Amino acid sequence: MNNREVQAAWKYHDATKHSYWSIRNSPHVLDWANRPLPFKVYPKVEALPLPRDLTQTGVAALSAISEPGPSVGGDSIPDLQDLVRILHFSAGITKQRKYPGGEIYFRAAACTGALYEIELYVVTGDLKSLNAGVYHFNPTDLSLRLLRKGDFRGNLAQAVGMEPAMTHAPAAVLCTGTYWRNAWKYQARTYRHFGWDNGTLLANLLAVSTASGLPAEIVLGFVDAKVNRLLDLDIRREVCLCLVPIGRTSGSLPPAQREVQALSLETIPVSQREVEYPAMLEMHDRSSLESEEEVAQWRGKQVILPSSAPAGEAVALQRTPEEEQPKDTIEQVILRRGSTRTFDPAASISLAHLSTILDCATRGFPADFLEPPGAQVNDLYLIVHAVQGLKPGSYFYRREQKMLELLKEGTFRAEAQYLGLQQELPADACVDIFFLADLSRILERYGNRGYRAVQLEAGVIGGKMYLATYAQSLGATGLTFFDDDVINFFSPHARHKSAIFLLAIGKPLKGQPR
Ligand SMILES: Cc1cc2nc3c(=O)[nH]c(=O)nc-3n(C[C@H](O)[C@H](O)[C@H](O)COP(=O)(O)O)c2cc1C
Protein backbone atom coordinates (compact mmCIF):
# COMPACT_ATOMS: atom_id res chain seq x y z
CA MET A 1 0.00 0.00 0.00
CA ASN A 2 1.34 3.36 -1.13
CA ASN A 3 0.31 5.24 1.97
CA ARG A 4 2.68 3.23 4.17
CA GLU A 5 5.78 4.11 2.17
CA VAL A 6 6.47 7.28 4.08
CA GLN A 7 9.65 8.28 2.32
CA ALA A 8 7.25 9.91 -0.19
CA ALA A 9 6.08 12.46 2.39
CA TRP A 10 9.67 13.12 3.50
CA LYS A 11 10.74 13.59 -0.08
CA TYR A 12 8.01 16.14 -0.72
CA HIS A 13 8.58 17.93 2.59
CA ASP A 14 12.35 18.22 2.12
CA ALA A 15 12.02 19.29 -1.50
CA THR A 16 9.64 22.14 -0.64
CA LYS A 17 11.53 23.68 2.28
CA HIS A 18 12.27 27.39 2.11
CA SER A 19 15.75 28.57 2.99
CA TYR A 20 17.64 31.82 2.60
CA TRP A 21 19.30 30.38 -0.51
CA SER A 22 16.27 28.63 -2.03
CA ILE A 23 14.44 31.97 -2.09
CA ARG A 24 17.40 33.84 -3.58
CA ASN A 25 18.18 31.23 -6.19
CA SER A 26 14.61 30.69 -7.35
CA PRO A 27 14.15 31.89 -10.93
CA HIS A 28 10.34 31.94 -10.48
CA VAL A 29 8.56 35.17 -11.46
CA LEU A 30 4.84 35.86 -11.39
CA ASP A 31 3.26 35.87 -14.84
CA TRP A 32 0.49 38.39 -14.22
CA ALA A 33 -0.99 37.97 -17.69
CA ASN A 34 -1.58 34.30 -16.85
CA ARG A 35 -2.97 34.92 -13.34
CA PRO A 36 -5.46 32.15 -12.51
CA LEU A 37 -9.16 32.75 -12.12
CA PRO A 38 -9.98 32.43 -8.40
CA PHE A 39 -13.34 30.71 -9.05
CA LYS A 40 -14.49 27.50 -10.68
CA VAL A 41 -17.17 28.27 -13.24
CA TYR A 42 -19.50 25.81 -14.98
CA PRO A 43 -20.77 28.07 -17.80
CA LYS A 44 -23.48 25.69 -19.05
CA VAL A 45 -25.01 24.64 -15.72
CA GLU A 46 -27.93 26.69 -14.51
CA ALA A 47 -27.43 28.56 -11.23
CA LEU A 48 -29.70 27.93 -8.28
CA PRO A 49 -29.65 31.29 -6.48
CA LEU A 50 -29.35 31.06 -2.71
CA PRO A 51 -31.14 33.32 -0.22
CA ARG A 52 -29.12 36.41 0.72
CA ASP A 53 -31.24 37.53 3.68
CA LEU A 54 -29.45 35.23 6.11
CA THR A 55 -30.56 34.94 9.71
CA GLN A 56 -27.63 35.47 12.06
CA THR A 57 -26.96 32.98 14.83
CA GLY A 58 -26.18 35.66 17.41
CA VAL A 59 -23.68 33.29 19.06
CA ALA A 60 -20.53 34.92 20.49
CA ALA A 61 -17.49 34.13 18.34
CA LEU A 62 -15.26 33.11 21.24
CA SER A 63 -17.74 30.50 22.37
CA ALA A 64 -18.45 29.22 18.82
CA ILE A 65 -14.70 28.75 18.24
CA SER A 66 -13.93 26.98 21.50
CA GLU A 67 -16.83 24.53 21.64
CA PRO A 68 -15.95 21.12 20.22
CA GLY A 69 -19.49 21.05 18.70
CA PRO A 70 -23.09 21.55 19.80
CA SER A 71 -24.55 19.09 22.28
CA VAL A 72 -27.52 17.69 20.37
CA GLY A 73 -29.54 14.73 21.50
CA GLY A 74 -31.96 13.98 18.68
CA ASP A 75 -32.04 14.83 15.00
CA SER A 76 -30.36 17.98 13.81
CA ILE A 77 -31.13 18.68 10.19
CA PRO A 78 -29.83 21.75 8.38
CA ASP A 79 -32.24 23.82 6.30
CA LEU A 80 -31.23 25.89 3.29
CA GLN A 81 -30.56 28.97 5.46
CA ASP A 82 -28.15 26.94 7.60
CA LEU A 83 -26.33 25.60 4.56
CA VAL A 84 -25.96 29.03 2.99
CA ARG A 85 -24.73 30.49 6.29
CA ILE A 86 -22.12 27.74 6.53
CA LEU A 87 -20.99 28.12 2.91
CA HIS A 88 -20.96 31.91 2.85
CA PHE A 89 -19.10 32.41 6.13
CA SER A 90 -16.52 29.78 5.11
CA ALA A 91 -15.84 30.56 1.45
CA GLY A 92 -18.05 33.52 0.54
CA ILE A 93 -16.90 36.92 -0.72
CA THR A 94 -16.73 39.34 2.19
CA LYS A 95 -15.02 42.36 0.60
CA GLN A 96 -13.69 43.65 -2.71
CA ARG A 97 -10.66 45.80 -3.35
CA LYS A 98 -9.46 47.39 -6.59
CA TYR A 99 -5.76 47.29 -7.46
CA PRO A 100 -3.97 48.53 -10.61
CA GLY A 101 -4.35 45.21 -12.45
CA GLY A 102 -7.96 44.49 -11.52
CA GLU A 103 -9.98 43.61 -8.46
CA ILE A 104 -9.48 41.15 -5.58
CA TYR A 105 -12.50 39.45 -4.11
CA PHE A 106 -11.49 38.68 -0.53
CA ARG A 107 -13.14 35.73 1.10
CA ALA A 108 -14.33 34.80 4.58
CA ALA A 109 -11.17 32.87 5.53
CA ALA A 110 -7.50 33.78 5.09
CA CYS A 111 -5.80 32.16 2.11
CA THR A 112 -2.19 32.25 0.92
CA GLY A 113 -1.76 34.87 -1.77
CA ALA A 114 -5.56 35.46 -1.88
CA LEU A 115 -5.58 32.82 -4.61
CA TYR A 116 -8.50 30.81 -3.15
CA GLU A 117 -7.71 27.34 -4.44
CA ILE A 118 -10.24 25.61 -2.18
CA GLU A 119 -13.64 24.82 -3.74
CA LEU A 120 -16.73 23.65 -1.86
CA TYR A 121 -19.31 21.10 -3.00
CA VAL A 122 -22.46 19.92 -1.22
CA VAL A 123 -23.75 16.34 -1.26
CA THR A 124 -27.19 16.18 0.28
CA GLY A 125 -30.35 14.19 0.72
CA ASP A 126 -33.69 16.00 0.38
CA LEU A 127 -33.71 19.04 2.67
CA LYS A 128 -36.32 21.73 3.20
CA SER A 129 -36.06 23.91 0.04
CA LEU A 130 -33.21 21.86 -1.48
CA ASN A 131 -33.55 18.65 -3.45
CA ALA A 132 -31.13 15.78 -3.02
CA GLY A 133 -28.08 16.12 -5.22
CA VAL A 134 -24.41 16.87 -5.69
CA TYR A 135 -23.88 20.62 -6.00
CA HIS A 136 -21.00 23.02 -6.55
CA PHE A 137 -20.97 26.25 -4.52
CA ASN A 138 -20.22 29.43 -6.45
CA PRO A 139 -19.54 32.42 -4.18
CA THR A 140 -19.52 35.02 -7.00
CA ASP A 141 -23.29 34.89 -7.49
CA LEU A 142 -24.04 33.05 -4.21
CA SER A 143 -25.47 30.03 -5.92
CA LEU A 144 -25.36 26.26 -6.14
CA ARG A 145 -25.07 24.37 -9.41
CA LEU A 146 -26.55 20.92 -9.61
CA LEU A 147 -23.99 18.44 -10.93
CA ARG A 148 -25.84 15.21 -10.11
CA LYS A 149 -29.49 14.81 -9.25
CA GLY A 150 -30.43 12.37 -6.48
CA ASP A 151 -29.12 11.19 -3.14
CA PHE A 152 -25.44 10.16 -3.28
CA ARG A 153 -24.76 10.11 0.46
CA GLY A 154 -24.56 6.32 0.33
CA ASN A 155 -21.53 6.64 -1.95
CA LEU A 156 -19.85 8.89 0.58
CA ALA A 157 -20.73 6.56 3.47
CA GLN A 158 -19.00 3.72 1.62
CA ALA A 159 -16.03 5.87 0.66
CA VAL A 160 -15.38 6.81 4.30
CA GLY A 161 -15.63 3.20 5.50
CA MET A 162 -19.02 3.83 7.20
CA GLU A 163 -17.65 6.50 9.53
CA PRO A 164 -20.68 7.23 11.80
CA ALA A 165 -20.71 11.03 11.39
CA MET A 166 -21.08 10.50 7.62
CA THR A 167 -23.54 7.61 7.72
CA HIS A 168 -25.91 9.74 9.86
CA ALA A 169 -25.45 13.04 8.07
CA PRO A 170 -28.32 14.73 6.21
CA ALA A 171 -25.71 16.63 4.14
CA ALA A 172 -21.97 17.00 3.68
CA VAL A 173 -19.66 19.74 2.46
CA LEU A 174 -16.72 18.47 0.41
CA CYS A 175 -13.54 20.53 0.05
CA THR A 176 -11.23 20.27 -2.95
CA GLY A 177 -7.91 21.88 -3.86
CA THR A 178 -7.07 23.16 -7.34
CA TYR A 179 -3.30 22.90 -7.80
CA TRP A 180 -2.55 25.53 -10.41
CA ARG A 181 -4.61 28.27 -8.84
CA ASN A 182 -2.13 28.43 -5.95
CA ALA A 183 0.94 26.94 -7.68
CA TRP A 184 0.97 29.90 -10.10
CA LYS A 185 2.66 31.74 -7.21
CA TYR A 186 3.87 29.09 -4.79
CA GLN A 187 4.88 26.28 -7.17
CA ALA A 188 5.28 22.85 -5.57
CA ARG A 189 4.82 24.23 -2.04
CA THR A 190 1.10 24.49 -2.83
CA TYR A 191 0.44 21.03 -1.43
CA ARG A 192 1.28 22.41 2.02
CA HIS A 193 -0.99 25.37 1.30
CA PHE A 194 -3.87 23.00 0.54
CA GLY A 195 -3.83 22.01 4.22
CA TRP A 196 -3.34 25.56 5.50
CA ASP A 197 -5.99 27.21 3.32
CA ASN A 198 -8.47 24.39 3.69
CA GLY A 199 -7.84 24.54 7.44
CA THR A 200 -8.57 28.26 7.91
CA LEU A 201 -11.78 27.79 5.93
CA LEU A 202 -12.73 24.81 8.11
CA ALA A 203 -12.16 26.82 11.29
CA ASN A 204 -14.91 29.16 10.09
CA LEU A 205 -17.08 26.27 8.95
CA LEU A 206 -16.87 24.44 12.29
CA ALA A 207 -17.57 27.62 14.27
CA VAL A 208 -20.59 28.57 12.15
CA SER A 209 -21.97 25.01 12.26
CA THR A 210 -21.63 24.99 16.04
CA ALA A 211 -23.30 28.40 16.25
CA SER A 212 -26.11 27.03 14.06
CA GLY A 213 -26.61 24.09 16.45
CA LEU A 214 -25.37 21.58 13.87
CA PRO A 215 -22.68 18.97 14.52
CA ALA A 216 -19.90 18.88 11.93
CA GLU A 217 -16.80 16.70 11.73
CA ILE A 218 -13.75 16.75 9.48
CA VAL A 219 -13.35 13.39 7.75
CA LEU A 220 -9.91 12.89 6.26
CA GLY A 221 -10.09 9.13 5.78
CA PHE A 222 -11.80 8.26 2.50
CA VAL A 223 -11.18 6.31 -0.67
CA ASP A 224 -9.87 9.16 -2.79
CA ALA A 225 -10.77 7.77 -6.18
CA LYS A 226 -14.43 7.23 -5.23
CA VAL A 227 -14.98 10.75 -3.98
CA ASN A 228 -13.06 12.37 -6.82
CA ARG A 229 -15.18 10.39 -9.27
CA LEU A 230 -18.41 11.47 -7.58
CA LEU A 231 -17.38 15.12 -8.02
CA ASP A 232 -16.17 14.34 -11.54
CA LEU A 233 -12.80 15.96 -10.88
CA ASP A 234 -9.93 16.07 -13.34
CA ILE A 235 -7.46 14.79 -10.75
CA ARG A 236 -4.37 16.20 -12.41
CA ARG A 237 -5.88 19.60 -11.64
CA GLU A 238 -8.23 19.28 -8.66
CA VAL A 239 -8.54 16.74 -5.83
CA CYS A 240 -10.82 16.21 -2.87
CA LEU A 241 -9.11 17.08 0.43
CA CYS A 242 -11.76 16.30 3.06
CA LEU A 243 -15.44 15.74 3.74
CA VAL A 244 -17.48 17.48 6.41
CA PRO A 245 -20.75 15.77 7.34
CA ILE A 246 -23.19 18.37 8.66
CA GLY A 247 -26.07 17.63 11.06
CA ARG A 248 -27.36 14.30 12.24
CA THR A 249 -30.30 12.02 11.53
CA SER A 250 -31.24 9.07 13.70
CA GLY A 251 -32.00 6.87 10.66
CA SER A 252 -29.66 3.92 10.99
CA LEU A 253 -28.75 3.23 7.38
CA PRO A 254 -27.43 5.63 4.74
CA PRO A 255 -29.09 5.42 1.33
CA ALA A 256 -27.84 2.76 -1.10
CA GLN A 257 -24.86 3.54 -3.32
CA ARG A 258 -25.75 4.82 -6.78
CA GLU A 259 -23.99 4.37 -10.02
CA VAL A 260 -21.71 7.25 -10.93
CA GLN A 261 -21.21 8.16 -14.59
CA ALA A 262 -18.64 10.61 -15.93
CA LEU A 263 -20.23 14.05 -16.41
CA SER A 264 -17.68 15.81 -18.60
CA LEU A 265 -19.15 19.20 -17.73
CA GLU A 266 -17.46 22.17 -19.28
CA THR A 267 -15.58 24.52 -16.93
CA ILE A 268 -13.85 27.79 -17.74
CA PRO A 269 -10.06 27.28 -17.85
CA VAL A 270 -8.32 28.63 -14.75
CA SER A 271 -5.50 30.16 -16.86
CA GLN A 272 -4.42 30.20 -20.48
CA ARG A 273 -1.47 27.98 -19.59
CA GLU A 274 -0.93 25.74 -16.58
CA VAL A 275 2.25 24.24 -15.19
CA GLU A 276 2.05 20.82 -13.59
CA TYR A 277 4.26 20.09 -10.56
CA PRO A 278 4.85 16.31 -10.46
CA ALA A 279 6.04 16.49 -6.82
CA MET A 280 2.52 17.43 -5.74
CA LEU A 281 0.76 14.83 -7.86
CA GLU A 282 3.08 12.23 -6.39
CA MET A 283 2.54 13.45 -2.83
CA HIS A 284 -1.20 13.23 -3.34
CA ASP A 285 -1.09 9.86 -5.00
CA ARG A 286 1.19 8.39 -2.33
CA SER A 287 -1.09 9.64 0.45
CA SER A 288 -4.25 8.28 -1.18
CA LEU A 289 -6.28 5.50 0.42
CA GLU A 290 -7.31 2.78 -1.96
CA SER A 291 -10.07 0.75 -0.33
CA GLU A 292 -12.66 0.90 2.42
CA GLU A 293 -10.62 -1.61 4.42
CA GLU A 294 -7.58 0.60 4.20
CA VAL A 295 -9.69 3.57 5.34
CA ALA A 296 -11.03 1.67 8.36
CA GLN A 297 -7.55 0.48 9.30
CA TRP A 298 -6.12 3.98 8.87
CA ARG A 299 -8.71 5.46 11.18
CA GLY A 300 -8.64 2.76 13.83
CA LYS A 301 -5.53 3.75 15.77
CA GLN A 302 -4.96 6.36 18.43
CA VAL A 303 -2.34 9.02 18.05
CA ILE A 304 0.08 8.95 20.94
CA LEU A 305 2.51 11.81 21.08
CA PRO A 306 4.25 11.81 24.45
CA SER A 307 5.16 15.16 25.92
CA SER A 308 8.38 15.78 27.78
CA ALA A 309 8.57 17.06 31.37
CA PRO A 310 8.76 20.87 31.72
CA ALA A 311 12.29 22.05 32.32
CA GLY A 312 12.00 25.85 32.27
CA GLU A 313 10.10 28.47 34.21
CA ALA A 314 6.39 28.19 33.43
CA VAL A 315 3.56 30.75 33.35
CA ALA A 316 -0.08 29.67 33.57
CA LEU A 317 -2.56 31.01 31.02
CA GLN A 318 -4.83 33.71 32.46
CA ARG A 319 -8.05 33.99 30.51
CA THR A 320 -10.36 36.97 30.82
CA PRO A 321 -13.33 36.00 33.01
CA GLU A 322 -16.28 34.79 30.92
CA GLU A 323 -18.50 37.80 31.71
CA GLU A 324 -15.82 40.27 30.58
CA GLN A 325 -15.10 38.58 27.25
CA PRO A 326 -16.13 40.34 24.03
CA LYS A 327 -19.50 39.10 22.82
CA ASP A 328 -19.26 39.96 19.10
CA THR A 329 -21.02 37.27 17.11
CA ILE A 330 -19.22 34.77 14.92
CA GLU A 331 -20.69 36.40 11.82
CA GLN A 332 -19.49 39.89 12.87
CA VAL A 333 -16.01 38.59 13.57
CA ILE A 334 -15.73 36.74 10.26
CA LEU A 335 -16.82 39.87 8.39
CA ARG A 336 -14.31 41.98 10.33
CA ARG A 337 -11.37 39.60 9.84
CA GLY A 338 -8.73 40.54 7.31
CA SER A 339 -5.03 39.77 7.62
CA THR A 340 -2.98 42.54 9.18
CA ARG A 341 -0.69 44.09 6.55
CA THR A 342 1.37 46.19 9.04
CA PHE A 343 1.62 45.70 12.80
CA ASP A 344 2.24 48.56 15.21
CA PRO A 345 5.76 47.79 16.50
CA ALA A 346 5.16 49.89 19.63
CA ALA A 347 2.00 48.03 20.68
CA SER A 348 1.56 45.28 23.24
CA ILE A 349 -1.21 42.82 24.07
CA SER A 350 -2.12 41.35 27.45
CA LEU A 351 -1.49 37.86 28.74
CA ALA A 352 -5.29 37.52 28.91
CA HIS A 353 -5.53 38.24 25.16
CA LEU A 354 -2.91 35.61 24.36
CA SER A 355 -4.37 33.11 26.82
CA THR A 356 -7.81 33.43 25.24
CA ILE A 357 -6.36 32.86 21.77
CA LEU A 358 -4.34 29.81 22.80
CA ASP A 359 -7.07 28.27 24.88
CA CYS A 360 -9.94 28.83 22.40
CA ALA A 361 -7.91 27.46 19.51
CA THR A 362 -6.50 24.32 21.13
CA ARG A 363 -9.43 22.65 22.81
CA GLY A 364 -9.68 20.16 19.99
CA PHE A 365 -12.18 19.81 17.16
CA PRO A 366 -14.14 16.89 15.73
CA ALA A 367 -12.02 15.07 13.16
CA ASP A 368 -11.73 11.40 12.34
CA PHE A 369 -7.93 11.53 12.56
CA LEU A 370 -7.85 12.97 16.07
CA GLU A 371 -8.34 10.04 18.40
CA PRO A 372 -8.96 10.30 21.32
CA PRO A 373 -11.05 13.46 20.75
CA GLY A 374 -9.06 16.52 21.70
CA ALA A 375 -5.75 15.02 20.57
CA GLN A 376 -3.43 17.38 18.66
CA VAL A 377 -0.57 16.56 16.31
CA ASN A 378 1.04 20.02 16.13
CA ASP A 379 3.10 21.53 18.96
CA LEU A 380 3.09 25.28 19.52
CA TYR A 381 6.24 27.32 20.04
CA LEU A 382 6.13 31.08 20.57
CA ILE A 383 8.37 34.08 20.19
CA VAL A 384 7.00 36.69 22.56
CA HIS A 385 7.96 40.32 21.85
CA ALA A 386 5.36 42.38 23.71
CA VAL A 387 2.87 40.54 25.89
CA GLN A 388 2.21 42.22 29.25
CA GLY A 389 2.95 39.73 32.02
CA LEU A 390 5.39 37.63 29.98
CA LYS A 391 9.14 38.11 29.65
CA PRO A 392 10.17 38.54 26.01
CA GLY A 393 11.65 35.30 24.75
CA SER A 394 10.84 31.94 23.24
CA TYR A 395 8.26 29.61 24.80
CA PHE A 396 6.73 26.16 24.41
CA TYR A 397 2.98 25.86 24.98
CA ARG A 398 2.09 22.96 27.29
CA ARG A 399 -1.47 22.45 26.18
CA GLU A 400 -2.47 19.84 28.74
CA GLN A 401 -1.38 22.06 31.64
CA LYS A 402 -2.35 25.34 29.88
CA MET A 403 1.13 26.67 30.67
CA LEU A 404 3.77 28.57 28.73
CA GLU A 405 7.24 27.22 29.41
CA LEU A 406 10.06 29.71 28.94
CA LEU A 407 12.76 28.26 26.72
CA LYS A 408 15.03 31.26 26.20
CA GLU A 409 14.65 34.79 27.52
CA GLY A 410 15.57 37.67 25.21
CA THR A 411 14.46 40.11 22.54
CA PHE A 412 14.17 38.19 19.31
CA ARG A 413 12.49 40.62 16.90
CA ALA A 414 15.35 40.46 14.40
CA GLU A 415 15.40 36.65 14.59
CA ALA A 416 11.62 36.50 14.08
CA GLN A 417 11.90 38.74 11.04
CA TYR A 418 14.51 36.44 9.56
CA LEU A 419 12.54 33.25 10.31
CA GLY A 420 9.39 34.70 8.70
CA LEU A 421 11.12 35.03 5.34
CA GLN A 422 12.63 38.38 6.33
CA GLN A 423 9.24 40.09 6.33
CA GLU A 424 8.61 42.89 8.83
CA LEU A 425 5.33 41.41 10.05
CA PRO A 426 6.78 38.83 12.48
CA ALA A 427 9.20 41.43 13.91
CA ASP A 428 6.50 44.05 14.50
CA ALA A 429 3.90 41.65 15.91
CA CYS A 430 3.47 41.18 19.67
CA VAL A 431 3.84 37.39 19.43
CA ASP A 432 4.62 34.83 16.73
CA ILE A 433 3.19 31.34 17.06
CA PHE A 434 5.08 28.59 15.26
CA PHE A 435 3.53 25.18 14.67
CA LEU A 436 6.07 22.34 14.77
CA ALA A 437 5.40 18.64 14.48
CA ASP A 438 7.15 15.37 15.13
CA LEU A 439 6.69 14.19 11.55
CA SER A 440 8.41 10.82 12.08
CA ARG A 441 5.88 9.74 14.67
CA ILE A 442 2.96 11.17 12.74
CA LEU A 443 3.93 9.41 9.51
CA GLU A 444 4.55 6.20 11.42
CA ARG A 445 0.98 6.36 12.73
CA TYR A 446 -0.90 7.67 9.68
CA GLY A 447 1.39 6.93 6.75
CA ASN A 448 1.76 9.65 4.12
CA ARG A 449 -1.82 10.69 4.87
CA GLY A 450 -0.40 12.03 8.13
CA TYR A 451 1.24 14.77 6.09
CA ARG A 452 -2.18 15.92 4.93
CA ALA A 453 -3.43 15.65 8.55
CA VAL A 454 -0.68 17.71 10.11
CA GLN A 455 -0.97 20.55 7.58
CA LEU A 456 -4.76 20.56 7.81
CA GLU A 457 -4.80 20.56 11.61
CA ALA A 458 -2.37 23.50 11.63
CA GLY A 459 -4.68 25.40 9.27
CA VAL A 460 -7.72 24.73 11.46
CA ILE A 461 -5.97 25.80 14.68
CA GLY A 462 -4.43 28.77 12.87
CA GLY A 463 -7.89 29.69 11.55
CA LYS A 464 -9.35 29.48 15.04
CA MET A 465 -6.53 31.73 16.27
CA TYR A 466 -7.33 34.25 13.55
CA LEU A 467 -10.95 34.33 14.74
CA ALA A 468 -10.10 34.50 18.46
CA THR A 469 -7.73 37.38 17.67
CA TYR A 470 -10.28 39.41 15.72
CA ALA A 471 -12.96 38.63 18.32
CA GLN A 472 -10.73 40.61 20.70
CA SER A 473 -10.26 43.41 18.13
CA LEU A 474 -6.58 42.57 17.59
CA GLY A 475 -4.88 41.65 14.30
CA ALA A 476 -3.21 38.53 12.87
CA THR A 477 -1.63 37.20 9.75
CA GLY A 478 -0.46 33.81 8.57
CA LEU A 479 3.16 33.77 7.39
CA THR A 480 5.60 31.53 5.67
CA PHE A 481 9.06 30.67 7.01
CA PHE A 482 12.57 29.27 6.56
CA ASP A 483 11.94 25.67 7.62
CA ASP A 484 15.25 24.50 9.08
CA ASP A 485 16.10 27.84 10.64
CA VAL A 486 12.86 27.68 12.64
CA ILE A 487 13.85 24.28 14.03
CA ASN A 488 17.37 25.49 14.82
CA PHE A 489 15.99 28.53 16.62
CA PHE A 490 13.82 26.42 18.95
CA SER A 491 16.40 23.66 19.46
CA PRO A 492 17.43 21.75 21.46
CA HIS A 493 13.75 21.57 22.55
CA ALA A 494 12.50 21.22 18.98
CA ARG A 495 15.24 18.89 17.75
CA HIS A 496 13.82 16.24 15.34
CA LYS A 497 10.65 18.25 14.69
CA SER A 498 9.55 19.92 11.43
CA ALA A 499 8.19 23.42 10.83
CA ILE A 500 4.57 23.39 9.69
CA PHE A 501 2.83 26.79 10.08
CA LEU A 502 3.28 30.31 11.43
CA LEU A 503 0.88 32.98 12.66
CA ALA A 504 1.79 36.48 13.88
CA ILE A 505 -0.50 38.36 16.28
CA GLY A 506 -0.43 41.99 17.34
CA LYS A 507 -2.16 45.31 16.88
CA PRO A 508 -2.67 46.63 13.35
CA LEU A 509 -0.96 49.96 12.70
CA LYS A 510 -3.74 52.56 12.68
CA GLY A 511 -4.83 53.80 9.27
CA GLN A 512 -3.88 50.72 7.23
CA PRO A 513 -6.50 49.59 4.69
CA ARG A 514 -8.73 46.75 5.86
C1 LIG B 1 -1.10 30.15 5.92
C2 LIG B 1 -1.02 31.57 5.48
C3 LIG B 1 0.23 32.10 5.17
C4 LIG B 1 0.32 33.44 4.80
N1 LIG B 1 1.57 33.96 4.53
C5 LIG B 1 1.69 35.31 4.32
C6 LIG B 1 2.98 35.90 4.18
O1 LIG B 1 4.00 35.21 4.22
N2 LIG B 1 3.04 37.25 4.00
C7 LIG B 1 1.92 38.04 3.97
O2 LIG B 1 2.02 39.27 3.83
N3 LIG B 1 0.67 37.49 4.08
C8 LIG B 1 0.54 36.15 4.27
N4 LIG B 1 -0.71 35.59 4.43
C9 LIG B 1 -1.92 36.43 4.38
C10 LIG B 1 -2.65 36.30 3.03
O3 LIG B 1 -1.95 37.06 2.07
C11 LIG B 1 -4.10 36.77 3.17
O4 LIG B 1 -4.78 35.82 3.94
C12 LIG B 1 -4.77 36.91 1.81
O5 LIG B 1 -4.26 37.99 1.10
C13 LIG B 1 -6.27 37.10 1.99
O6 LIG B 1 -6.53 38.28 2.69
P1 LIG B 1 -7.31 38.33 4.06
O7 LIG B 1 -6.68 37.37 5.01
O8 LIG B 1 -7.16 39.76 4.51
O9 LIG B 1 -8.73 37.97 3.81
C14 LIG B 1 -0.85 34.24 4.74
C15 LIG B 1 -2.09 33.67 5.02
C16 LIG B 1 -2.18 32.35 5.37
C17 LIG B 1 -3.53 31.76 5.66
Side-chain angles (χ1 to χ4, degrees), residues 184-250:
W184 168 75
K185 180 168 183 185
Y186 299 104
Q187 300 174 281
R189 205 164 149 104
T190 282
Y191 203 79
R192 301 186 186 207
H193 294 205
F194 274 0
W196 304 351
D197 296 332
N198 193 181
T200 57
L201 182 154
L202 288 167
N204 288 22
L205 192 156
L206 292 176
V208 174
S209 296
T210 298
S212 308
L214 293 161
E217 176 182 308
I218 299 171
V219 177
L220 195 60
F222 57 92
V223 181
D224 294 77
K226 277 198 166 190
V227 179
N228 289 334
R229 202 173 315 122
L230 180 67
L231 299 179
D232 203 46
L233 304 180
D234 171 356
I235 60 165
R236 298 187 82 95
R237 295 195 157 94
E238 183 185 5
V239 286
C240 184
L241 302 174
C242 71
L243 286 66
V244 190
I246 309 273
R248 193 175 191 290
T249 57
S250 44

Side-chain angles (χ1 to χ4, degrees), residues 106 110-112 114 116 196 337-339 341 423 425 477-480:
F106 287 95
C111 179
T112 50
Y116 303 112
W196 304 351
R337 192 211 61 77
S339 299
R341 271 41 184 179
Q423 299 176 86
L425 286 159
T477 185
L479 289 168
T480 193

Side-chain angles (χ1 to χ4, degrees), residues 24-45:
R24 264 156 199 79
N25 293 336
S26 168
H28 185 61
V29 284
L30 295 182
D31 178 0
W32 286 97
N34 196 36
R35 186 171 197 260
L37 189 67
F39 305 104
K40 183 171 189 180
V41 183
Y42 292 91
K44 302 224 169 107
V45 184

